Amino acid sequence: MEVIRVKKLRPGATLPAYGSMGAAGADLTACLEESVTIEPGQTAFIPTGIALEVPANCAGLVYARSGMACKQGLAPANKVGVIDSDYRGEILVALHNHGSQARTVEPGQRIAQLLITPVLTPAYEEAGSLSDTARDAGGFGSTGK
């Protein structure tokens, strides 16, 4: 099992934790001194109070928690946050309220989930042509025909 080093930056910060044995993502929690209300259509940066040592050739991906996104309309504003392996600052979650009602985030509330995944960083080179495939340049909806 890989171990990720985590530094607590604020009192009340908690380490990422898995909600079940088969969970792919570890929950990130709000490290707040008081509740934060997010109005409809607004975004608030919610601190987690932690910094991570993401391994080289990996990235931390911050995704929505499905229940929070589907039931409350709160999800990361950037859809998926990317934590680079050389970043050592605090993990903030930009929660956006997609709903029609104000929503309140409480101290210690689980606000997002973190996945650590391998990343390829290939070199890119310009080419005059690309190899042919059965799909070729078929775009949106082309495989459903």
Side-chain angles (χ1 to χ4, degrees):
M1 170 184 274
E2 185 79 32
V3 174
I4 303 292
R5 293 169 46 95
V6 180
K7 181 179 180 181
K8 290 184 178 182
L9 304 173
R10 301 168 186 254
T14 59
L15 299 183
Y18 296 97
S20 71
M21 291 293 293
D27 291 327
L28 295 174
T29 59
C31 187
L32 299 167
E33 292 181 16
E34 56 188 39
S35 302
V36 171
T37 298
I38 307 172
E39 297 296 328
Q42 298 298 306
T43 301
F45 286 89
I46 306 297
T48 64
I50 61 170
L52 304 171
E53 231 178 70
V54 175
N57 301 311
C58 290
L61 302 178
V62 179
Y63 290 97
R65 294 191 68 250
S66 25
M68 190 172 190
C70 295
K71 294 177 183 176
Q72 297 182 40
L74 291 177
N78 53 346
K79 307 305 178 209
V80 178
V82 178
I83 305 167
D84 297 315
S85 64
D86 59 351
Y87 178 67
R88 294 294 184 269
E90 183 173 12
I91 307 305
L92 300 173
V93 178
L95 276 184
H96 183 78
N97 184 347
H98 295 275
S100 58
Q101 299 176 27
R103 296 294 184 184
T104 301
V105 178
E106 302 292 342
Q109 183 176 348
R110 296 175 299 165
I111 56 170
Q113 56 182 321
L114 172 68
L115 279 77
I116 304 294
T117 188
V119 183
L120 297 176
T121 52
Y124 294 91
E125 71 177 19
E126 185 176 351
S129 63
L130 303 175
S131 60
D132 292 329
T133 68
R135 182 177 181 178
D136 207 29
F140 296 103
S142 66
T143 61
K145 295 179 182 174

